[in-house]
Amino acid sequence: LDALTGDKKWEYRMPGLTHSSPAYSEKGNIVVCGCNDFSVYGFNARTGALLWSFKTDGEIKESFAFDEKRGQVCFGSFDSYVYILETKTGRLIHKIKTDEAIYSTPLVHGDLAYVASLDKNIYCINLDTGAVVWKFATNARIFASPEIIGDKVYIGSNDARLYELDALTGKNTAFFQA
């Protein structure tokens, strides 16, 4: 939609139910959106032309995080994997296994991505190598998306806690029990 007038600029009918929120990269001029048909779609932000699609083995329920420095987009799937794709082409760069589906939006900060999983863990992933730098276990499933303030990552869990973690080590530095 045109932000000033509300006029429709373009539309695309997804092939399945769509719970995912679209994400926009101004630098890449791309909109990325996931679908319950197990696929992610990349669109030209100005024209709506479909640029690429990428198939996973699970539904895509959450949104996406762009790594503008590397030209990558990061997301999770209900197939228990974190995917890192090339933004322009949809080419797979890294595929990282978790132990359960992913229902939260990743956070990209510097050279790292933080991704929460329904396996009760938050994962810190090196964007260059795809390696898990650290993971932190909570006591319940995580639907929340991580946030970073300074050098701390914050994540809420269904154990009624808001955790404060050191962004580089994953060490639990504080929590709030609701």
Side-chain angles (χ1 to χ4, degrees):
L1 301 176
D2 183 295
L4 298 176
T5 67
D7 293 339
K8 180 173 37 173
K9 297 297 227 175
W10 58 267
E11 73 176 58
Y12 182 88
R13 181 170 291 288
M14 299 294 269
L17 295 174
T18 304
H19 296 113
S20 169
S21 296
Y24 168 64
S25 166
E26 184 174 10
K27 184 176 180 182
N29 184 41
I30 194 165
V31 172
V32 178
C33 191
C35 185
N36 285 359
D37 73 344
F38 300 5
S39 295
V40 175
Y41 298 88
F43 303 96
N44 179 294
R46 287 186 186 81
T47 67
L50 179 64
L51 302 174
W52 53 261
S53 65
F54 180 86
K55 184 93 166 163
T56 72
D57 289 324
E59 297 173 335
I60 313 299
K61 299 281 191 181
E62 75 303 313
S63 193
F64 304 82
F66 288 99
D67 172 12
E68 300 290 14
K69 176 181 169 183
R70 291 167 191 78
Q72 300 174 350
V73 62
C74 178
F75 68 97
S77 171
F78 263 45
D79 66 2
S80 305
Y81 283 94
V82 176
Y83 292 89
I84 300 173
L85 307 180
E86 186 176 83
T87 303
K88 287 184 180 182
T89 65
R91 180 182 64 84
L92 179 65
I93 297 170
H94 300 295
K95 182 178 177 181
I96 302 99
K97 179 76 171 122
T98 69
D99 292 328
E100 188 56 71
I102 299 165
Y103 203 88
S104 72
T105 299
L107 168 71
V108 168
H109 184 74
D111 295 328
L112 303 171
Y114 302 91
V115 184
S117 173
L118 296 181
D119 69 5
K120 306 177 186 177
N121 290 290
I122 180 168
Y123 294 80
C124 175
I125 299 166
N126 181 302
L127 290 166
D128 287 322
T129 65
V132 175
V133 177
W134 56 259
K135 74 177 183 176
F136 176 81
T138 68
N139 296 311
R141 294 165 50 154
I142 305 173
F143 291 89
S145 299
E147 190 56 65
I148 195 162
I149 302 171
D151 63 350
K152 305 293 186 207
V153 173
Y154 296 87
I155 189 72
S157 174
N158 274 17
D159 61 7
R161 286 185 176 183
L162 173 66
Y163 292 90
E164 178 188 84
L165 308 174
D166 182 280
L168 296 178
T169 67
K171 182 177 186 256
N172 185 198
T173 54
F175 68 85
F176 170 75
Q177 181 70 52

